Amino acid sequence: MAVRRDMAGFGPGGAALAAWLPLDGPGDISGRQAARPARRRRRAETLPRLGASAIPWILLIMLAPVSGEQVQLPGLDKAIWMGADLAALAFLVLRRDLASTLFGSRPIILLWPALAILSAAWSLTPGISAYHGLQLLATIVAGIALRATVGLSGVVRIVFLGLLGGQILSVVLGVAAPGMTRGLSGEWSGVYSHKNVLGGLMSLQLLCAASLFLQGWNRVLTGVAFLGALALLASSHSATALMAGVLGLAPLSVIMAWRQGNLVTGFCLGVAIALAGIGVLVGASYGADLSASLLSDLGKDTTLTGRTILWQFGIDQFWREPVIGIGYKAYWESPITTAPYLHFTTKQKVWFFHNNFIDIAVAFGTVGLLVFSGVMLDTARRVILHFARSPGYIEAWPILFLAQLSVLICFECPLFVNHGLHQFLLAAILPVLRTRPET
């Protein structure tokens, strides 16, 4: 199957590279069969090399989620994100022509930082809302800059290599200082602040390694990284990350079956429908018992490790200001909210409600929920259309990423945050649109 690559960051020579890519002729069956082995051997070569400019991005992916206190380097994550903010500023200043094209092609995602900054007008903590809103803008611009400079194939490989570095650092620290990486129940956190962070990043690494492996890029390295990520995910004991990894990989099985042709696709669809019917029957028969058993198997209680308590605090706050909320980050920073009582009740210094919808509802009310849902739906539409035009495994990675996010936004808070790896990557998966050159 011929695949059109994302040539966003390849510069003037991109057209020549695109012309070099093997394409199937509609009627040349014998030629297509003869060229198939060579095309398989050269599949990885269709991905352009990563230059030295990729190194800062790899370091960002590797070090930004690292807990500085964990590795005895306090403030490391803040320094890394400050570098990303400066990169975003440089992108806007030095590439104003490209920036105007990019912002013209994706204005909807910019509603997030615009709303965050605007909320300073009614926020309980106006200075903090404006400051963090500007950081959110910088994070999104940095993600756009990444996609614009290296293209989608570069994004996937940069994320893979950065997370591979995190895997190696976690294993090294776990061997050298096991007491720093393990909790009371034996769960691993690696070089990260919490087991859920390690688990979430390793579930993301599964998506990167699987897509690159199927694409044919360095299969030994990607295969080993996949197995290593699977082991670290299991050692984290994070049920949320496990669910995110499974759901993130699920579309890949559908895409693989679809690429094999109508016969295999039809067979797999029939099996899926049959299994779904059995699932509905079992769920209707054993409902509550099955739910309790599943939670027990995942190591969760009926409060989802205290999440339902957090959710109740957030819902109560939402109903106090249901239209426009109390401002970006204001609940956690203002002394007049119930946040101190929440911290006392949960005995944890949490800074989000472990549910993206509740966090947004508290900060921006119903308006924020509408804006958040609109951006997510628009992003899904864009990446699916991009995959439909170029149905390769690399192009499928944004779909896997969104499937994984559908779990994380319900149990964590990966989006609408001023500095966050998933927020950064959400901007990076959006297809780059360029204006046609004048002739």
Side-chain angles (χ1 to χ4, degrees):
M1 177 181 293
V3 176
R4 294 170 49 201
R5 289 274 163 251
D6 178 2
M7 313 302 289
F10 305 156
L17 181 60
W20 177 84
L21 295 178
L23 298 175
D24 293 341
D28 187 10
I29 300 177
S30 60
R32 183 163 64 249
Q33 291 174 342
R36 188 174 299 159
R39 188 161 59 248
R40 286 177 179 170
R41 287 194 301 269
R42 300 188 319 187
R43 182 181 297 172
E45 297 177 16
T46 64
L47 302 182
R49 289 179 176 272
L50 291 174
S53 61
I55 295 177
W57 297 114
I58 295 173
L59 292 176
L60 170 66
I61 300 296
M62 181 173 68
L63 298 177
V66 170
S67 171
E69 289 73 14
Q70 190 89 342
V71 295
Q72 305 303 316
L73 292 172
L76 174 64
D77 51 343
K78 294 181 180 179
I80 294 297
W81 280 115
M82 181 179 294
D85 294 342
L86 293 175
L89 177 63
F91 174 73
L92 290 175
V93 173
L94 300 177
R95 299 293 300 274
R96 286 175 294 178
D97 56 335
L98 183 56
S100 62
T101 301
L102 291 172
F103 286 124
S105 68
R106 64 193 67 207
I108 294 182
I109 195 172
L110 297 179
L111 289 177
W112 284 5
L115 181 60
I117 296 171
L118 183 63
S119 71
W122 64 83
S123 173
L124 298 180
T125 55
I128 291 175
S129 296
Y131 176 68
H132 286 173
L134 288 172
Q135 287 184 332
L136 175 58
L137 174 63
T139 301
I140 290 175
V141 173
I144 293 173
L146 174 63
R147 177 62 179 268
T149 52
V150 302
L152 180 58
S153 66
V155 171
V156 179
R157 285 175 290 164
I158 284 172
V159 175
F160 169 79
L161 293 173
L163 294 180
L164 179 62
Q167 288 179 264
I168 295 172
L169 289 177
S170 294
V171 172
V172 170
L173 186 62
V175 173
M180 298 173 61
T181 61
R182 296 185 182 178
L184 297 177
S185 302
E187 69 276 7
W188 269 42
S189 59
V191 292
Y192 308 107
S193 59
H194 195 273
K195 67 171 186 175
N196 287 346
V197 180
L198 174 65
L201 294 177
M202 291 306 101
S203 67
L204 178 60
Q205 179 71 320
L206 293 179
L207 310 186
C208 298
S211 298
L212 290 170
F213 181 88
L214 292 172
Q215 185 64 38
W217 185 79
N218 208 328
R219 283 186 164 168
V220 174
L221 180 63
T222 52
V224 171
F226 184 91
L227 295 177
L230 199 59
L232 287 173
L233 174 58
S235 67
S236 72
H237 298 177
S238 174
T240 300
L242 178 62
M243 291 173 57
V246 170
L247 194 59
L249 289 173
L252 199 56
S253 59
V254 178
I255 292 169
M256 291 174 64
W258 173 71
R259 286 171 60 94
Q260 297 304 312
N262 294 335
L263 183 62
V264 175
T265 303
F267 173 77
C268 292
L269 182 61
V271 171
I273 293 174
L275 292 176
I278 295 173
V280 170
L281 181 62
V282 171
S285 302
Y286 299 97
D289 294 337
L290 185 64
S291 175
S293 176
L294 179 60
L295 288 174
S296 177
D297 292 340
L298 291 174
K300 299 291 184 182
D301 54 22
T302 54
T303 68
L304 299 177
T305 323
R307 281 180 173 84
T308 56
I309 300 174
L310 296 176
W311 296 349
Q312 190 59 56
F313 270 89
I315 293 171
D316 290 344
Q317 178 61 52
F318 163 72
W319 285 116
R320 294 187 183 99
E321 296 289 344
V323 180
I324 58 175
I326 59 174
Y328 190 47
K329 303 284 186 178
Y331 178 83
W332 307 103
E333 300 290 348
S334 173
I336 64 173
T337 66
T338 57
Y341 182 54
L342 183 153
H343 292 153
F344 173 78
T345 303
T346 61
K347 296 180 174 59
Q348 295 184 52
K349 203 70 172 178
V350 293
W351 296 100
F352 52 91
F353 290 106
H354 281 273
N355 183 292
N356 243 138
F357 296 99
I358 295 178
D359 266 280
I360 291 167
V362 168
F364 309 109
T366 306
V367 172
L369 289 174
L370 292 175
V371 171
F372 178 74
S373 301
V375 171
M376 294 301 295
L377 290 173
D378 178 71
T379 301
R381 178 186 66 85
R382 287 174 181 267
V383 299
I384 290 173
L385 288 177
H386 183 69
F387 173 76
R389 292 191 295 266
S390 306
Y393 290 114
I394 291 294
E395 287 73 17
W397 183 79
I399 298 177
L400 310 185
F401 179 72
L402 287 179
Q404 182 186 82
L405 275 180
S406 68
V407 173
L408 295 180
I409 61 177
C410 294
F411 300 101
E412 300 293 339
C413 189
L415 300 180
F416 227 127
V417 290
N418 51 313
H419 283 154
L421 189 58
H422 286 86
Q423 179 63 72
F424 170 76
L425 293 177
L426 183 73
I429 67 173
L430 285 167
V432 173
L433 300 181
R434 289 179 178 270
T435 56
R436 293 181 178 273
E438 295 182 1
T439 57

